Amino acid sequence: MKFIVDRTEVKQFEDGMKYIAIFDKENKEWYEELKKFKTDTLKVMYNKETYLVLSTNIDATTIAPTMVGDVVEEIEYQEVKVNPNLYFVDGKVVELQNYETIKNGKILFDRDKRIEEIKKELYDLRVERDIAPFEFEVDGVTYLQNNRSIDQSNLTRIVVMCQALKKTTFENWKFYTKENSEKYVNLTIQDMMKMANIMQEQTTKSMAAETLLTHNLGNLTDEELKKYDSKEKYEKAYKNM
């Protein structure tokens, strides 16, 4: 059963109350036609031109096709979540991804948009990895050090300063415990240089993993791009660096 709104007009009951009458191109009236829908099907209202889903319900009386071009069609029942990005395609309600568009009732894949979407995901993963804390041991105690660029820059500056002043230690470098409390620890220059090397290695690996994966996106098929798991790919590339 399918009903397409072709025109509407204002009518009036005998008691004077007005209502909007809804007709299809065969002059059939909606309020009579809705009685013909089955009771166990899903009624889907969508726009005839855009295929955007406007409403869904099992009960046809809750559907309100008031605009020309509104279509009400019944299909086998399916679970439908509330979502503004639902479309009616090939007899089903589907959720479009950011990289998909509808044309003539068919889903089209926007390859360039998908590649840009993946690039953004890989960039975010690189930043997340670059600032991730790592374990660092001092005098048999394990601390957490945030791998932030400001700390890496400070380490380099402090090491140079200590060498210039012929100091062998730096007092009160801030670490964190696994419980996220702050701890201030005295470090040797060797400790600081080791920590700086770890930070540099993480930064280099995180950037290299992003670059490798980004450059390879253009070689992937459309299906590979659709199924691309950025996190899985990034973690694997990072470990192999």
Side-chain angles (χ1 to χ4, degrees):
M1 178 68 182
K2 182 176 180 180
F3 185 94
I4 305 175
V5 179
D6 183 68
R7 64 184 179 85
T8 63
E9 63 179 80
V10 177
K11 287 196 170 187
Q12 185 171 302
F13 292 112
E14 292 181 358
D15 61 5
M17 180 178 289
K18 294 181 179 180
Y19 70 98
I20 298 177
I22 305 162
F23 301 92
D24 66 9
K25 64 180 182 181
E26 296 177 353
N27 212 36
K28 295 177 181 178
E29 205 265 341
W30 163 249
Y31 296 106
E32 291 299 323
E33 291 299 299
L34 68 81
K35 300 174 184 177
K36 299 177 182 179
F37 285 97
K38 299 176 183 178
T39 58
D40 59 348
T41 56
L42 182 68
K43 287 73 180 176
V44 182
M45 182 171 77
Y46 60 94
N47 180 273
K48 184 174 67 172
E49 300 298 328
T50 65
Y51 297 88
L52 177 67
V53 172
L54 305 171
S55 180
T56 62
N57 208 297
I58 294 178
D59 185 356
T61 63
T62 66
I63 304 293
T66 57
M67 301 293 292
V68 173
D70 284 349
V71 182
V72 180
E73 187 168 343
E74 65 178 343
I75 61 173
E76 184 177 341
Y77 181 77
Q78 70 173 96
E79 289 290 337
V80 177
K81 296 180 180 179
V82 177
N83 190 317
N85 203 32
L86 297 178
Y87 289 80
F88 191 72
V89 180
D90 294 331
K92 292 183 179 180
V93 176
V94 299
E95 178 183 359
L96 286 195
Q97 302 300 313
N98 292 332
Y99 46 83
E100 294 176 331
T101 57
I102 290 285
K103 186 174 182 180
N104 298 325
K106 300 296 181 183
I107 298 177
L108 299 182
F109 176 62
D110 190 332
R111 181 182 177 86
D112 291 339
K113 190 171 183 178
R114 177 56 176 157
I115 288 177
E116 290 305 311
E117 182 179 64
I118 295 173
K119 285 182 178 179
K120 175 63 168 56
E121 292 170 354
L122 293 174
Y123 170 80
D124 291 342
L125 287 165
R126 190 262 290 177
V127 171
E128 180 182 326
R129 170 65 68 172
D130 198 29
I131 66 175
F134 60 88
E135 292 185 349
F136 191 78
E137 185 177 303
V138 181
D139 296 331
V141 180
T142 300
Y143 301 98
L144 288 178
Q145 171 61 49
N146 287 340
N147 185 18
R148 298 184 184 277
S149 58
I150 187 171
D151 283 341
Q152 189 171 343
S153 177
N154 283 342
L155 273 172
T156 303
R157 178 176 56 81
I158 291 169
V159 167
V160 171
M161 179 189 70
C162 287
Q163 289 174 333
L165 297 176
K166 297 183 178 180
K167 293 180 62 176
T168 58
T169 61
F170 178 81
E171 297 179 350
N172 295 326
W173 180 265
K174 184 171 70 174
F175 284 114
Y176 292 89
T177 67
K178 292 184 178 180
E179 292 73 33
N180 205 36
S181 62
E182 297 178 359
K183 291 291 182 181
Y184 291 85
V185 181
N186 295 339
L187 299 177
T188 66
I189 288 184
Q190 288 75 22
D191 288 333
M192 301 190 78
M193 292 180 68
K194 181 179 179 182
M195 193 159 52
N197 287 336
I198 294 173
M199 289 182 175
Q200 184 59 49
E201 180 184 1
Q202 287 193 358
T203 298
T204 301
K205 287 177 64 176
S206 62
M207 293 180 66
E210 178 198 8
T211 300
L212 173 67
L213 294 173
T214 298
H215 286 175
N216 190 47
L217 292 176
N219 299 324
L220 301 181
T221 66
D222 288 355
E223 286 304 312
E224 288 173 329
L225 288 171
K226 291 176 185 179
K227 298 176 181 178
Y228 197 90
D229 186 328
S230 296
K231 187 173 180 63
E232 179 185 339
K233 297 287 187 183
Y234 183 86
E235 291 298 330
K236 183 176 180 180
Y238 183 87
K239 289 178 181 178
N240 291 333
M241 287 296 164

